[in-house]
Amino acid sequence: MDAGASGDAVVQGTSSDAAVSRESAARLGYIDDPYIRHFVKRPQRRAPLINRGTHSRFDGVQRILRQFVAQVNSPSDSDCRRGQIVNLGAGMDTSYFLLKQLDMLPRRFFEVDFAKITARKATTICRTPQLKMLLPDDIKVAAGGAELHSAGYSLIAGDLREFATQVAPRLVELGFDVAEPTLFLSECVLIYLEPRHSDKVLDWITANVRYAGILTYEQILPDDRFGRMMIENLRARGLELRGLHAYPTLQSTSQRFLDRGWHSAVAVDLATYHEELVSEAERARLARIEFLDEWEEFRLLAQHYAFTFAFTKQSPVFDAMSIERA
């Protein structure tokens, strides 16, 4: 295995790490996700500060997804669905199933990841009745088992470094409509790409999608003591945050969108999100699940992760959305 392939394999392994953390939080009651357990073969109980961080990450992502679907769907006609969600580097994320459970799906939902990950996900979904029953009736297995295709949900194998030439054409082939309001989701994905590659993803969205929004969740602040330690710990596992120094702060993570002419971009770190945007009642509920005595460590860790929500132009859909309100 060459260095590039080895690096890809290590990055792909982060999807399993994220799934294990999410399953831990779900099993203990931090989050309501009855589907993640199907994607985790060896459950582990994470430390309280990790569970608390997983809760805030989950809460922020679901907040934006639900805001988007609520805006694009007609409240008076459940058959009148609009909009698209594209989950970049989706891993074992269960958002499609969570939205389906709530009858809150947009018209189309796409997930993109490396073929090894999509193959594992497709196999798990097809072999698990609780998941398979939530798929559209027209679902088809494709690409030797690495993909799932339907009019409403598609799981696609692709390398985001080749987004414009490989991934985007496949999206369009499977029904992606550049004229539809579209929300892109990227959780700890673009930051693993060289900036020249992640920037090309954003450039394609800017140039081609009429009304687009994106929610990213990524590491920040590489240059303080904790940030340097974070980088070294990841590097010891063979992981490089290739985009971190290009966009190292809250200001720069939002500015990358504004520099492309996007209408709005707001970034908030996870510590602020937990303290100001998770309700007092919810934080009290979390405290009853597990005692967290490492508050300073949690806050320090959470300050090094951030949501950024941005959208390209004014529209009724995206104007009504915000990571900073319920």
Side-chain angles (χ1 to χ4, degrees):
M1 181 181 291
D2 62 32
S6 177
D8 288 351
V10 176
V11 171
Q12 291 169 38
T14 62
S15 71
S16 295
D17 291 341
V20 169
S21 294
R22 188 149 158 176
E23 190 280 333
S24 173
R27 178 161 35 89
L28 294 171
Y30 282 83
I31 63 175
D32 183 12
D33 184 349
Y35 306 110
I36 188 62
R37 63 186 179 88
H38 300 297
F39 296 100
V40 176
K41 292 183 178 179
R42 298 179 181 85
Q44 301 174 34
R45 182 166 181 152
R46 297 299 203 203
L49 67 88
I50 300 299
N51 289 325
R52 187 68 70 106
T54 298
H55 170 275
S56 290
R57 171 179 176 175
F58 177 87
D59 189 80
V61 171
Q62 297 305 310
R63 174 178 302 209
I64 287 295
L65 290 177
R66 293 176 188 181
Q67 286 180 9
F68 176 74
V69 177
Q71 291 300 316
V72 296
N73 284 349
S74 168
S76 60
D77 184 357
S78 61
D79 292 327
C80 182
R81 298 186 186 275
R82 296 192 307 131
Q84 305 166 127
I85 292 172
V86 182
N87 193 341
L88 302 172
M92 299 301 127
D93 185 69
T94 57
S95 293
Y96 169 82
F97 301 101
L98 294 169
L99 292 174
K100 173 67 174 179
Q101 171 186 265
L102 297 170
D103 193 26
M104 288 191 70
L105 286 172
R107 181 176 295 176
R108 301 180 187 90
F109 195 111
F110 299 93
E111 296 188 304
V112 182
D113 215 318
F114 286 110
K116 286 185 178 179
I117 293 177
T118 60
R120 177 187 160 200
K121 188 168 194 175
T123 299
T124 300
I125 291 171
C126 291
R127 290 180 177 176
T128 307
Q130 298 95 321
L131 300 174
K132 190 174 182 181
M133 68 183 291
L134 297 174
L135 294 177
D137 293 337
D138 63 339
I139 200 77
K140 292 181 175 62
V141 179
E147 297 189 348
L148 298 173
H149 299 169
S150 75
Y153 169 77
S154 292
L155 175 65
I156 304 170
D159 187 336
L160 296 179
R161 291 168 297 194
E162 307 295 336
F163 187 84
T165 58
Q166 293 183 14
V167 176
R170 294 298 319 287
L171 287 169
V172 172
E173 176 188 337
L174 291 168
F176 181 86
D177 185 348
V178 297
E180 284 266 7
T182 304
L183 176 66
F184 292 85
L185 175 63
S186 172
E187 294 184 68
C188 294
V189 173
L190 296 181
I191 200 163
Y192 284 109
L193 303 180
E194 295 285 354
R196 61 191 173 93
H197 293 306
S198 60
D199 286 346
K200 285 181 179 178
V201 175
L202 301 183
D203 290 341
W204 186 91
I205 294 170
T206 304
N208 292 279
V209 184
R210 184 177 299 173
Y211 295 105
I214 190 169
L215 178 69
T216 66
Y217 174 78
E218 296 180 327
Q219 295 92 334
I220 58 171
L221 304 180
D223 296 320
D224 63 14
R225 182 177 178 182
F226 187 93
R228 291 191 295 271
M229 181 179 68
M230 175 177 68
I231 291 170
E232 288 305 314
N233 288 342
L234 290 169
R235 189 168 288 156
R237 297 167 52 196
L239 292 164
E240 291 286 343
L241 299 176
R242 302 182 186 280
L244 181 55
H245 284 93
Y247 305 105
T249 63
L250 289 175
Q251 194 276 333
S252 62
T253 61
S254 56
Q255 193 63 41
R256 75 183 301 191
F257 298 100
L258 300 176
D259 287 345
R260 286 173 167 76
W262 288 41
H263 176 71
S264 175
V266 175
V268 58
D269 67 49
L270 200 65
T272 300
Y273 185 91
H274 177 268
E275 292 166 10
E276 298 182 9
L277 298 167
V278 176
S279 70
E280 185 176 352
E282 178 68 355
R283 283 184 276 119
R285 185 188 71 82
L286 299 179
R288 292 192 292 270
I289 296 173
E290 279 185 310
F291 179 68
L292 177 62
D293 60 357
E294 308 124 315
W295 276 108
E296 287 304 315
E297 186 178 353
F298 170 76
R299 195 166 194 281
L300 191 58
L301 174 67
Q303 286 172 338
H304 287 76
Y305 287 83
F307 293 113
T308 303
F309 176 63
F311 55 94
T312 53
K313 60 189 68 162
Q314 284 186 292
S315 74
V317 170
F318 292 113
D319 286 346
M321 295 172 59
S322 174
I323 190 63
E324 295 181 305
R325 64 172 180 268

